[in-house]
Amino acid sequence: MERTLVMIKPDGVERNLVGKVISIFEENGLKVVALKKVRLSKKQAEAFYIVHKERPFYDSLTTYMSSGPIVAMVLEGENAIKKVREIMGATDPAEAKEGTIRKLFGIDKEKNTVHGSDSPESAAKEIPFFFSEFELIAAE
Ligand code: CMP
């Protein structure tokens, strides 16, 4: 069993897509082990995306991610990290495969509706960013 951190970004929350996005993950066998709605400050968004600090889109991305509420969750399942990335689709919704969340709902590379940890190392940093150990309720 593996755990991954997923965020529904401000464009997803604003368009009332929280239930639809969670349903897609659940239909694919993933279990919600923690869930919360939060609004990140610019500083918190910068800390979350610190690995992208040198990228040209860092300022825009962190401004966007602090522009409205997000929903953060931990999903659990076999190969959860890879599975979630497949279900989300490519970063750019224009390149995402049919049926993926970003193809269905994404607007552009930045407003691409969802984030998922890209590796076990990222998940190990991203999960404790939002959740303490006692907030993680094992699936079974
Ligand atoms: P996410 O999975 O949240 O991780 C980093 C984010 O940076 C990514 O999704 C995109 O939303 C964003 N991103 C990546 N490339 C670009 C880009 N070229 N322009 C703007 N945002 C980008």
Side-chain angles (χ1 to χ4, degrees):
M1 280 299 157
E2 191 173 60
R3 288 176 175 179
T4 188
L5 189 281
V6 168
M7 293 188 287
I8 303 177
K9 297 187 178 187
D11 65 279
V13 175
E14 192 186 352
R15 290 180 291 152
N16 263 7
L17 296 172
V18 173
K20 286 200 176 99
V21 168
I22 294 175
S23 284
I24 294 171
F25 289 124
E26 287 190 327
E27 281 158 11
N28 281 278
L30 290 149
K31 300 271 187 188
V32 176
V33 303
L35 181 73
K36 64 171 67 162
K37 183 178 184 180
V38 289
R39 173 137 186 197
L40 297 175
S41 66
K42 171 84 163 146
K43 288 231 171 325
Q44 287 170 324
E46 285 169 358
F48 184 87
Y49 280 114
I50 193 73
V51 293
H52 296 305
K53 194 173 174 19
E54 305 305 329
R55 308 287 280 273
F57 56 81
Y58 181 66
D59 185 56
S60 171
L61 172 67
T62 53
T63 296
Y64 167 59
M65 288 301 290
S66 56
S67 68
I70 61 157
V71 170
M73 73 195 86
V74 176
L75 299 181
E76 184 176 285
E78 255 173 63
N79 293 316
I81 295 169
K82 187 161 171 268
K83 201 168 186 178
V84 161
R85 291 181 70 76
E86 284 169 6
I87 297 165
M88 290 193 306
T91 302
D92 185 349
E95 288 166 17
K97 284 192 195 144
E98 287 301 325
T100 61
I101 292 172
R102 285 166 171 164
K103 179 73 178 182
L104 285 167
F105 306 125
I107 297 166
D108 58 32
K109 263 190 211 172
E110 191 166 87
K111 296 182 177 66
N112 61 359
T113 316
V114 277
H115 163 86
S117 307
D118 65 5
S119 64
E121 296 71 32
S122 298
K125 286 186 196 140
E126 292 176 1
I127 292 170
F129 185 92
F130 286 103
F131 299 100
S132 66
E133 194 56 43
F134 85 94
E135 290 177 293
L136 303 168
I137 315 300
E140 238 98 75

